[in-house]
Amino acid sequence: MSLFFEQFPIVVNSLNTGFLQTLKLFALTLLGAIPLGLLICFGSMSKILPVKGFFKLLIWLVRGTPLMIQLLIIYYFPGLVLNNPIWGGGEGGRFVASAVAFIINYACYFSEIYRAGIQAIPQGQDEAGLVLGMSRSEIFFKVKLLQMIKRIVPPMSNEVLTLVKDTSLARIIALQEIIWAGQSFLKGSQGISGAIWPLFFTAVYYLVFNGILTVLLSRLEKKLDFFR
Amino acid sequence: MEILRVEHINKSFEDTSVLKDINFSLNKSEVLSIIGSSGSGKTTLLRCINFLEKPDSGIIRVNGDIIFDGENDEYLKEENIRRNRLHFGLVFQSFNLFPQYTALENVMLAKQLQAKKRPDYKENKKQILADIETHAKGLLDQMGLSDRMENYPHQLSGGQQQRVAIARALALEPDILCFDEPTSALDPELTGEILKVMKELADCKMTMIIVTHEMNFARDVSDKVIFMDDGIVCEEGTPDEVFLNPKQERTRQFLKNYQS
């Protein structure tokens, strides 16, 4: 038991550093994927067939393959196949590659949620805007956007909670996020080896963070309850 | 004085011809009711006039100026359509209020967006927005909704929502106010309050085109009635001519079915 108390501060310190990396990846993914998803959504709904086709193909590819494979391809393909290691070495390069893979992957999922949200808005809203002389962009931003947001908060909440856990996949390209930090005590790190409890303990971080997010997202849902 | 002239309007959806050579005109301050069975093309005609559908051919004139000509693509440019459709206001069957805005905000929104394009907007922003609000409040007051201005659409009855929709259409001061079966989604009690408002507008000499199934209302309020059947104007005249002495057998049949 005394060994556990000796190990605990060392492990927590290491897990905190790893979780910070997890949080950075999570935040950057959301920051990039939320607007990129809207762009992909508009592309997939475009009346110009080649544009629509391109974005539909992208969505199919991204949703049809494991995120882990996408991470590996995005990280290794430029260096190993094209002889152009654009990401650079080290933790910084791995982080950027992970962020790119996560942003593209999540943007594609978000785009489909946006599309469902937009298409669920009655056509009468467009028509009311049009007869009032509004432009298409005015109708989108002033009339439809908030209605879309209200509709997509529950499915987006699911995706956001999944994203928190999915960040652990970046471990596959050795990004030093929290799972990597937990696992390092198995092989041996900072004088601790053969300890599996740090790996199990990472679950507490995910659980607490997702708990906070759940509360925040349900608050947002309630805030949008003022209209139907 | 003639305000609207519709000439040779045709409209098809794929192989189905919905409007066939529609012609009619309307004078300022007149009320035109368009009656006919479902699928006769009444709503499509109204939607064509409001540019929610593009007629395949024909000409639409407002105050003598051509605002649509099927032969000339210039009239199909979005900015032209946006400008020209402001001659008309349209009240929908299903209200189509914006749910995230209060009654007052619904009435003000389009005018506020228009105001932003005014060259003096930045200088006189406060005054411009105050004027828009005063005008919108006046309209809602006129609709008997002065105590409902801060309510969201879902907090209003169907009749109240439709009155907000009428105020919203009036806010842009259209030359012609169009109604697409404005009472069809309402129960008989609420229908009465909408018809009363429309009657008041007619009394105020508002030029209106009303697509309706309310025959008694059409007879009492209209200056002119059009009976449509299978995409054509089957009969046209004063309410007395159409309702009391219809020339066409099809009109007689339609009115008989309504009375029975």
Side-chain angles (χ1 to χ4, degrees), chain A residues 178-189:
Chain A
I178 188 168
I179 298 281
W180 183 92
Q183 215 174 4
S184 65
F185 294 104
L186 258 178
K187 291 177 192 161
S189 170

Side-chain angles (χ1 to χ4, degrees), chain A residues 25-37:
Chain A
L25 183 58
F26 166 78
L28 198 64
T29 303
L30 277 191
L31 219 63
I34 287 174
L36 183 65

Side-chain angles (χ1 to χ4, degrees), chain A residues 18-200:
Chain A
F19 195 59
L20 196 66
Q21 194 74 314
T22 297
L23 285 182
K24 270 160 59 184
L25 183 58
F26 166 78
L28 198 64
T29 303
L30 277 191
L31 219 63
I34 287 174
L36 183 65
L38 202 57
L39 213 73
I40 297 174
C41 167
F42 288 144
S44 71
M45 290 167 77
S46 170
K47 283 178 186 159
I48 307 163
L49 282 181
V51 175
K52 183 180 176 154
F54 170 78
F55 284 104
K56 287 276 182 197
L57 180 70
L58 176 72
I59 292 169
W60 174 67
L61 284 173
V62 169
R63 294 202 312 169
T65 55
L67 176 54
M68 192 187 280
I69 302 290
Q70 293 162 23
L71 270 162
L72 290 169
I73 292 174
I74 285 178
Y75 184 57
Y76 288 114
F77 192 83
L80 294 181
V81 182
L82 304 177
N83 277 325
N84 182 17
I86 50 172
W87 308 119
E91 181 72 358
R94 287 194 290 272
F95 180 79
V96 177
S98 304
V100 169
F102 271 89
I103 287 172
I104 295 172
N105 181 281
Y106 270 82
C108 285
Y109 280 96
F110 288 172
S111 78
E112 287 294 274
I113 295 175
Y114 295 159
R115 190 172 62 84
I118 292 171
Q119 287 176 343
I121 298 170
Q123 205 194 339
Q125 293 290 298
D126 275 288
E127 294 186 347
L130 287 174
V131 297
L132 290 167
M134 292 184 202
S135 66
R136 292 272 173 198
S137 69
E138 283 170 341
I139 291 172
F140 180 76
F141 287 108
K142 292 287 178 181
V143 175
K144 289 165 74 175
L145 185 61
L146 196 61
Q147 295 185 48
M148 180 193 100
I149 291 172
K150 183 183 169 74
R151 282 176 170 86
I152 67 171
V153 167
M156 284 291 279
S157 302
N158 261 337
E159 287 297 318
V160 169
L161 297 186
T162 307
L163 170 61
V164 176
K165 294 171 286 174
D166 270 0
T167 51
S168 62
L169 288 171
R171 158 85 193 81
I172 198 71
I173 57 169
L175 185 79
Q176 294 172 16
E177 44 70 66
I178 188 168
I179 298 281
W180 183 92
Q183 215 174 4
S184 65
F185 294 104
L186 258 178
K187 291 177 192 161
S189 170
Q190 300 173 69
I192 303 168
S193 66
I196 194 150
W197 74 265
L199 190 57
F200 294 164

Side-chain angles (χ1 to χ4, degrees), chain B residues 132-218:
Chain B
I132 291 172
E133 189 174 332
T134 309
H135 184 224
K137 281 181 173 169
L139 286 169
L140 284 169
D141 198 29
Q142 191 187 334
M143 295 295 134
L145 292 168
S146 42
D147 56 340
R148 287 278 183 261
M149 291 187 195
E150 299 306 327
N151 287 98
Y152 288 93
H154 76 272
Q155 298 167 322
L156 302 171
S157 71
Q160 288 167 335
Q161 287 189 54
Q162 193 60 300
R163 281 185 279 156
V164 174
I166 295 171
R168 183 176 69 171
L170 286 171
L172 294 173
E173 299 166 82
D175 296 318
I176 301 162
L177 187 55
C178 305
F179 293 85
D180 182 15
E181 299 186 29
T183 57
S184 294
L186 302 173
D187 65 41
E189 204 175 352
L190 299 177
T191 296
E193 64 182 71
I194 297 303
L195 297 182
K196 184 170 162 270
V197 166
M198 291 166 69
K199 175 86 174 60
E200 284 165 7
L201 288 172
D203 292 342
C204 295
K205 300 293 172 199
M206 182 78 212
T207 313
M208 298 195 280
I209 301 177
I210 306 167
V211 166
T212 186
H213 289 294
E214 297 286 335
M215 296 304 146
N216 290 336
F217 176 75

Side-chain angles (χ1 to χ4, degrees), chain A residues 122-136 138 141-147 225-228, chain B residues 47 50 52 78 82 85-86 88 90 92 96-101 109-110 113-114 116-117 152 154 168-169 172:
Chain A
Q123 205 194 339
Q125 293 290 298
D126 275 288
E127 294 186 347
L130 287 174
V131 297
L132 290 167
M134 292 184 202
S135 66
R136 292 272 173 198
E138 283 170 341
F141 287 108
K142 292 287 178 181
V143 175
K144 289 165 74 175
L145 185 61
L146 196 61
Q147 295 185 48
D225 233 13
F226 72 93
F227 72 93
R228 277 173 210 161
Chain B
R47 289 172 63 84
N50 283 275
L52 290 177
E78 185 166 337
R82 271 180 66 199
R85 63 162 46 112
L86 290 177
F88 304 91
L90 177 60
F92 298 88
N96 294 344
L97 292 179
F98 305 135
Q100 72 272 40
Y101 294 117
L109 180 65
L113 292 172
Q114 276 184 5
K116 281 185 183 168
K117 288 158 203 152
Y152 288 93
H154 76 272
R168 183 176 69 171
L172 294 173

Side-chain angles (χ1 to χ4, degrees), chain B residues 72-135:
Chain B
N72 189 342
D73 286 348
E74 189 66 19
Y75 295 102
L76 294 178
K77 285 188 178 163
E78 185 166 337
E79 57 180 281
N80 289 337
I81 287 181
R82 271 180 66 199
R83 192 184 58 242
N84 286 329
R85 63 162 46 112
L86 290 177
H87 288 293
F88 304 91
L90 177 60
V91 176
F92 298 88
Q93 183 180 337
S94 49
F95 331 133
N96 294 344
L97 292 179
F98 305 135
Q100 72 272 40
Y101 294 117
T102 62
L104 182 62
E105 287 165 344
N106 261 280
V107 180
M108 294 194 298
L109 180 65
K111 202 81 183 165
Q112 285 170 336
L113 292 172
Q114 276 184 5
K116 281 185 183 168
K117 288 158 203 152
R118 282 172 56 164
D120 62 337
Y121 182 70
K122 270 189 183 165
E123 274 171 47
N124 305 321
K125 188 177 170 185
K126 262 192 177 170
Q127 188 56 46
I128 291 170
L129 292 180
D131 289 348
I132 291 172
E133 189 174 332
T134 309
H135 184 224

